[in-house]
């Protein structure tokens, strides 16, 4: 959304970015770097700001940004599947993008929340935080990596009511 706003689109910008990206014929070979299994999109935002300032066509900027996010999520998915060997569920605003969803669908045991539940990450983060707070002491720092691990464990349960503190025995490496 921040990228779309920089390009002059109204918030939320996902649908407009996806639509205009289809008009681009550019081919991008984005190099994706993960840091301890995590990503940062600040470099993407800086690159897009440069494109906007240079007057690059909006459709080319949109395609660049969406392909960058797609490849980043693909790489994160590969790493998570390799490390945890668990199903992955995708939700949040970015998962409303059809091209990204199609690219991530190639992975086994990947599931996507209904579009009604993929409009905003806030709902998912709220659920994860509530679940984590019920089972972790207040002195325990909850990081995004911790929340991802909790989410991976939650999706293996049939119901959140069956979730026990022992199910959220989190091993945080590299922190």
């Amino acid at each position: 959304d921040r990228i779309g706003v920089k390009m002059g689109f109204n918030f939320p910008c996902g649908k407009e970015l996806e639509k205009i990206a289809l008009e681009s014929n550019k081919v991008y070979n984005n190099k994706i770097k993960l840091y301890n299994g995590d990503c940062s999109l600040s470099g993407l935002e800086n690159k897009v700001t440069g494109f906007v300032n240079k007057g690059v066509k909006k459709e080319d900027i949109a395609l660049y940004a969406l392909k960058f996010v797609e490849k980043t999520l693909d790489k994160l998915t590969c790493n998570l599947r390799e490390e945890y060997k668990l199903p992955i569920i995708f939700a949040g605003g970015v998962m409303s993008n059809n091209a990204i969803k199609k690219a991530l669908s190639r992975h086994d045991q990947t599931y996507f929340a209904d579009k009604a539940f993929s409009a905003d990450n806030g709902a998912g983060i709220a659920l994860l935080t509530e679940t984590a707070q019920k089972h972790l002491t207040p002195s325990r720092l909850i990081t995004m990596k911790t929340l991802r691990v909790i989410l991976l464990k939650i999706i293996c349960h049939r119901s959140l009511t069956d979730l026990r503190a022992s199910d959220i025995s989190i091993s945080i490496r590299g922190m």
Side-chain angles (χ1 to χ4, degrees):
D1 285 324
R2 282 188 270 175
I3 288 170
V5 169
K6 284 181 188 284
M7 294 170 58
F9 296 130
N10 293 321
F11 179 89
C13 309
K15 287 181 184 179
E16 286 183 87
L17 283 172
E18 182 175 9
K19 181 180 176 183
I20 197 168
L22 294 172
E23 298 173 19
S24 177
N25 294 322
K26 286 278 201 179
V27 176
Y28 291 106
N29 187 19
N30 301 328
K31 295 181 182 174
I32 306 303
K33 295 180 184 177
L34 299 182
Y35 308 94
N36 294 324
D38 229 336
C39 70
S40 171
L41 297 179
S42 61
L44 169 62
E45 189 173 0
N46 293 335
K47 185 85 168 180
V48 165
T49 299
F51 286 162
V52 170
N53 293 339
K54 290 178 184 173
V56 174
K57 293 180 187 177
K58 287 185 179 184
E59 59 266 26
D60 294 339
I61 297 172
L63 181 64
Y64 178 87
L66 293 176
K67 285 294 183 184
F68 190 98
V69 170
E70 176 187 309
K71 286 187 173 188
T72 300
L73 289 171
D74 186 66
K75 197 166 189 176
L76 286 168
T77 300
C78 289
N79 288 357
L80 284 169
R81 291 302 307 279
E82 188 176 306
E83 185 173 351
Y84 297 104
K85 299 185 181 24
L86 295 171
I88 297 176
I89 188 166
F90 293 99
V94 172
M95 290 303 110
S96 294
N97 181 284
N98 292 316
I100 292 175
K101 186 175 177 179
K102 182 178 178 183
L104 296 175
S105 294
R106 73 174 179 80
H107 297 280
D108 292 334
Q109 291 188 294
T110 53
Y111 305 95
F112 298 84
D114 187 89
K115 282 193 175 194
F117 301 109
S118 291
D120 186 1
N121 286 329
I125 295 301
L127 174 63
L128 291 174
T129 303
E130 176 189 30
T131 302
Q133 293 301 329
K134 286 180 181 178
H135 301 289
L136 301 174
T137 63
S139 62
R140 185 108 181 246
L141 177 66
I142 298 176
T143 65
M144 288 307 291
K145 182 166 183 162
T146 303
L147 289 174
R148 280 200 308 274
V149 172
I150 292 170
L151 177 59
L152 287 169
K153 292 189 176 205
I154 287 172
I155 63 172
C156 292
H157 287 76
R158 290 203 167 93
S159 145
L160 289 177
T161 57
D162 297 334
L163 192 64
R164 301 177 308 268
S166 61
D167 295 323
I168 307 178
S169 56
I170 301 164
S171 170
I172 306 171
R173 298 182 304 278
M175 287 186 33

